[in-house]
Amino acid sequence: MNKIIYKIGNKIVRRTNWYNNSFWNGVTKFWQMNCFGLDVVNLGSGQGFYAFNYNGIDVKAQNWALSPQSLLHDYDILKNYFSYIREGGYVLIIICPFSCLVSQYDKKHNFKYYTFLHPATIQNFDDKERTRALTVKANPFGQMPVYCIKQTIREVSRKIKTMLFPPKRDIQKSADAMMSGWLKQFEISDLSAPLSEKHLTEQESRKKTLIGMVDFCKERALKPVIVIPPMHHSLSSMFPPEFKTNYIDAFLSGIDVPVFNYMNDVLMDKEEYYQTALFLNEQGARVFTKRVLKDIGIYVC
C-alpha cells in the first residue's frame, strides 16, 4: 500500500513547479538528456535561464542555464554535456554584469549538481550529500512526504491567489532591489571606482575560467560566443561608463571570440519584454533568442 502511495505522490510532486524549479533549480532538464547533434546551447545563470526560449524555432537548441550559477558551474556543465553538441555547433557563454567576480554559494546550492554531474567535476564534493541527493531524486515523496505536501498545497494556493488577484509589476522597484542586492553581495560602494585588490584577483581567476571554457570549445570543434543579455533601462542606467570599462571590458579583453553585448540594446528596451528589470519574460525571450541566433548567423527570421 505504501509503495502505491509513494508512487502516486512522486508522480504528483514531479509535475509541480516548486519541485522542478525551486527545489532542484531547473536541473531536471538534464536528467533525461537524449538530444544529440545540437546546433546551439546557452549556458548562464538567471539572465541566461530567462533570456532564451527556443520553442517554435527550426534550430536544434537547448537552454543549459541554471539560476543562480557561476562561470565555474557553467564550465562543469559544458565538460559533462559537450558531446550532445554537433561539430561546429555554437556554445553561447552568458556574461552578466558581475560574472567577473566570485559568488559564494552554500552547501545547499551544491546539492542539485550531484544529480547530473560527474563526481569528479563537482566542487567541494561530499559523498554523503551525493547519496542523499540521489535518494531524494529517486523518491522525493518517500524521503520528505510532509515537505512535499506542504509545498504542493502552497503552490496551488499561490496559483489561485494569482488568478484572483494578479500581482502588479514594478520594474523600477525590481531594478532598485537588484542593484542593492549586488552592491551588498559583492561589497561595492562605488560602481565608478576601479576594482579593489580583492576583486582584481577574483577577476583574474574568473578570466582563466573563461579562457578555459573558450579553449575547451575550440579544441572540440565547437564555436564559443560570448553574449551579454539585455536589461531594462531602469537597471542598465544605474551602471556608469566606468563600470563597463572596469568590470566587463577588462574581463573580456584578449578573449578571441565574438562578443555580442545587448546590455543597453534599444530594440530590447520595451517594458512588455520583462518580468523584472533583469529577467526577460516569455515574450521577450522569444524575441531575444531569434535576435541572437540571427546575429550569430544560424537563423533567418
Side-chain angles (χ1 to χ4, degrees):
M1 184 65 177
N2 285 341
K3 289 184 178 180
I4 296 176
I5 293 174
Y6 289 151
K7 185 176 182 180
I8 295 174
N10 285 332
K11 188 173 183 179
I12 294 173
V13 167
R14 287 172 178 144
R15 292 181 177 179
T16 62
N17 181 66
W18 73 262
Y19 178 76
N20 289 290
N21 295 317
S22 298
F23 187 82
W24 288 116
N25 292 118
V27 304
T28 54
K29 62 189 174 187
F30 290 99
W31 293 353
Q32 297 178 335
M33 184 78 74
N34 59 4
C35 184
F36 288 90
L38 293 169
D39 298 311
V40 58
V41 301
N42 68 272
L43 301 169
S45 187
Q47 263 195 298
F49 183 83
Y50 290 106
F52 292 89
N53 186 327
Y54 302 102
N55 293 333
I57 300 177
D58 189 22
V59 174
K60 291 184 69 176
Q62 288 186 349
N63 186 332
W64 288 358
L66 296 174
S67 179
Q69 184 156 273
S70 70
L71 274 178
L72 285 174
H73 292 105
D74 282 345
Y75 197 2
D76 290 338
I77 290 174
L78 180 61
K79 286 185 284 189
N80 277 264
Y81 290 92
F82 74 90
S83 60
Y84 288 87
I85 311 169
R86 68 168 174 80
E87 183 175 329
Y90 288 81
V91 176
L92 307 183
I93 301 173
I94 310 305
I95 299 299
C96 303
F98 295 96
S99 290
C100 70
L101 302 183
V102 174
S103 297
Q104 298 295 335
Y105 295 116
D106 58 18
K107 184 179 180 180
K108 182 179 179 182
H109 176 81
N110 214 35
F111 189 74
K112 61 180 178 285
Y113 294 107
Y114 291 113
T115 67
F116 74 104
L117 294 183
H118 189 281
T121 60
I122 297 177
Q123 303 163 48
N124 303 314
F125 177 80
D126 184 322
D127 191 50
K128 289 184 179 180
E129 281 294 286
R130 178 174 183 268
T131 299
R132 188 168 72 90
L134 293 177
T135 302
V136 172
K137 173 190 172 185
N139 185 19
F141 189 76
Q143 291 298 310
M144 45 184 191
V146 176
Y147 182 78
C148 287
I149 292 172
K150 286 183 177 180
Q151 290 301 112
T152 302
I153 291 174
R154 286 175 182 171
E155 180 171 312
V156 173
S157 297
R158 282 194 295 267
K159 286 183 178 179
I160 294 175
K161 184 178 179 180
T162 300
M163 290 175 61
L164 296 176
F165 309 101
K168 294 182 178 180
R169 249 185 343 155
D170 191 329
I171 297 295
Q172 184 60 59
K173 185 177 180 180
S174 71
D176 294 337
M178 184 62 64
M179 180 57 72
S180 176
W182 277 331
L183 296 179
K184 182 178 180 180
Q185 177 184 358
F186 297 109
E187 300 178 335
I188 299 172
S189 59
D190 184 359
L191 291 175
S192 298
L195 275 69
S196 66
E197 288 298 321
K198 175 178 178 290
H199 286 161
L200 283 172
T201 300
E202 292 179 357
Q203 187 179 74
E204 188 62 31
S205 174
R206 282 294 179 263
K207 189 166 186 174
K208 289 179 181 178
T209 299
L210 182 57
I211 292 173
M213 294 172 70
V214 169
D215 290 344
F216 183 90
C217 289
K218 291 182 176 181
E219 289 166 3
R220 288 156 183 79
L222 303 177
K223 297 178 181 178
V225 175
I226 291 175
V227 176
I228 303 175
M231 58 180 68
H232 191 262
H233 71 268
S234 60
L235 183 57
S236 63
S237 62
M238 295 182 183
F239 293 97
E242 294 84 358
F243 175 88
K244 180 177 181 296
T245 299
N246 296 329
Y247 287 81
I248 298 178
D249 294 344
F251 180 48
L252 300 182
S253 67
I255 308 294
D256 186 25
V257 296
V259 176
F260 294 89
N261 187 348
Y262 302 93
M263 186 171 172
N264 297 287
D265 191 276
V266 293
L267 295 179
M268 291 302 303
D269 193 24
K270 297 180 180 179
E271 191 161 325
E272 61 263 33
Y273 288 166
Y274 293 86
Q275 54 180 303
T276 70
L278 183 65
F279 297 150
L280 292 171
N281 57 26
E282 186 173 338
Q283 178 188 0
R286 288 179 183 277
V287 173
F288 180 64
T289 301
K290 291 180 180 179
R291 171 84 179 281
V292 173
L293 295 181
K294 183 178 180 182
D295 286 349
I296 65 176
I298 65 171
Y299 178 76
V300 178
C301 298

